[in-house]
Amino acid sequence: MGSLDNIALEIQNTKSEIGDLKKQKQAKEMQLADLKHALLVAMRDEEKVETSDFIFSKKMPKPSNQTAYKVSTKVSEDEQEEQLDWVRVNHPELLKEELKVDPKPIRQQLAKGTLHIASNGKVVDDNGELIPGVYGELKPIEADFKPVKESRKVAAK
């Protein structure tokens, strides 16, 4: 069983390293944003500045161009219904009607046995009819582990 413990420790270490790298990436992204802001401040009102090593220029957004804007429509689930109701009433042109196949009920019906996965990976109904463009597969077996609690380690000795 020692090799299982070694593998589990290696997985834990790798996950920890990934977490550390993500934190480092976030810190570097913040540092980059701060440096870009410092560059703008240092350029003052100048649109172009040349030094012996670099040519600095500002990219001015064009307000008449839609690509000049960042827009976020993300809201919490609680606020989503309020947002949609308001937009439906006041600005329906802002709504995007999107009809698409929802994978959640497909997974539910696969689990119930009312839909099936053919040998080619296509999803079929009870009549054997293919659902166009829908593919599925049973997820592979995964091994997982949890550290043994200290109290159990002591009791086992």
Side-chain angles (χ1 to χ4, degrees), residues 41-109:
V41 170
M43 288 180 70
R44 295 186 217 123
D45 293 332
E46 300 294 324
E47 290 201 26
K48 188 174 184 181
V49 176
E50 292 186 35
T51 67
S52 59
D53 295 322
F54 298 99
I55 299 173
F56 301 94
S57 60
K58 291 182 183 175
K59 293 181 186 174
M60 304 299 280
K62 294 178 184 169
S64 61
N65 191 336
Q66 65 181 343
T67 60
Y69 299 93
K70 287 187 197 179
V71 176
S72 173
T73 60
K74 293 180 183 178
V75 293
S76 69
E77 283 186 39
D78 298 339
E79 297 170 322
Q80 188 172 17
E81 195 170 323
E82 178 185 348
Q83 178 193 48
L84 289 173
D85 289 343
W86 188 91
V87 172
R88 263 189 216 103
V89 170
N90 296 289
H91 290 281
E93 75 278 7
L94 300 180
L95 288 175
K96 180 179 179 182
E97 195 72 31
E98 189 173 306
L99 292 176
K100 63 180 184 174
V101 177
D102 186 359
K104 185 176 181 180
I106 294 172
R107 288 191 299 269
Q108 290 170 340
Q109 289 190 35

Side-chain angles (χ1 to χ4, degrees), residues 1-11:
M1 289 294 167
S3 72
L4 289 176
D5 289 343
N6 291 340
I7 293 170
L9 287 172
E10 197 63 34
I11 290 171

